Amino acid sequence: KQEVTQIPAALSVPEGENLVLNCSFTDSAIYNLQWFRQDPGKGLTSLLLIQSSQREQTSGRLNASLDKSSGRSTLYIAASQPGDSATYLCAVRPSIQGAQKLVFGQGTRLTINP
Amino acid sequence: NAGVTQTPKFQVLKTGQSMTLQCAQDMNHNSMYWYRQDPGMGLRLIYYSASEGTTDKGEVPNGYNVSRLNKREFSLRLESAAPSQTSVYFCASSVETRSSGPQHFGDGTRLSIL
């Protein structure tokens, strides 16, 4: 059974720092990995999607990498801002035929201090 | 762009009452999903619909029914609500043709069962 882990559960850093969020998964048989942010009381906003054949994706100050063989992904946030404060979730889609669900990690709650 | 729209946003029910959560997407996506989010449990798939006319059980389907009314709409019904169904419910959609695309989420329905 695929399991997704995000460590740490919470992270607090001063504004302007570069930071890395970690995601690990137990089964390397995946179609893709997706990073989301969730603001309090809100839904999930898709940030980046990495297909299993890709190594990384970039969007603005965000860069996500994928190492399928080791079961790891990282989300790099450059020059962090208070507006980046949110919970960040990673999710993998297993490549089992017919399986369309995402398996989510518990999330990392990020606080950027002005 | 509305994206994925869920109604209602909040609801309080008494044990044993029934209710239907509505979801509509305007992105012409083929696949739609219902998740629930609980503290310490993360997001878990309840049901999904790979395409119009099909539905399948996810990880936690007991106590729920779904209807894929047309390509745009996917509803979730609680026939006899129980306190254990107190949760935040999210609807999502994805294009899912030949490739695996990102899932897009609504803002959620916060449901309390007394």
Side-chain angles (χ1 to χ4, degrees), chain A residues 65-80:
Chain A
S65 67
L66 175 64
D67 184 343
K68 207 171 64 164
S69 61
S70 68
R72 293 183 179 179
S73 177
T74 62
L75 179 67
Y76 175 83
I77 302 177
S80 59

Side-chain angles (χ1 to χ4, degrees), chain A residues 1 31-32 34 36 38 41-44 46 49 51 89 93 98-102 104 106, chain B residues 31 33 35 37 40-43 45 48 50 59 90 96 100-103 105-107 110:
Chain A
K1 178 185 175 184
Y31 274 130
N32 58 44
Q34 195 168 356
F36 297 88
Q38 185 175 26
K42 297 292 186 180
L44 280 67
S46 180
L49 173 76
Q51 301 291 354
L89 297 159
R93 179 175 164 181
Q100 288 193 277
K101 72 171 189 178
L102 292 179
F104 283 85
Q106 296 279 349
Chain B
S31 299
Y33 314 83
Y35 293 88
Q37 185 177 36
M41 301 296 291
L43 280 114
L45 184 68
Y48 69 97
E59 187 180 355
F90 289 102
E96 299 297 337
S100 170
Q103 291 190 13
F105 283 72
D107 284 341
R110 283 143 188 84

Side-chain angles (χ1 to χ4, degrees), chain A residues 17-37:
Chain A
E17 281 201 4
N18 303 323
L19 58 98
V20 174
L21 305 180
N22 296 297
C23 172
S24 61
F25 47 96
T26 55
D27 189 339
S28 62
I30 63 170
Y31 274 130
N32 58 44
L33 183 145
Q34 195 168 356
W35 282 94
F36 297 88
R37 71 173 278 167

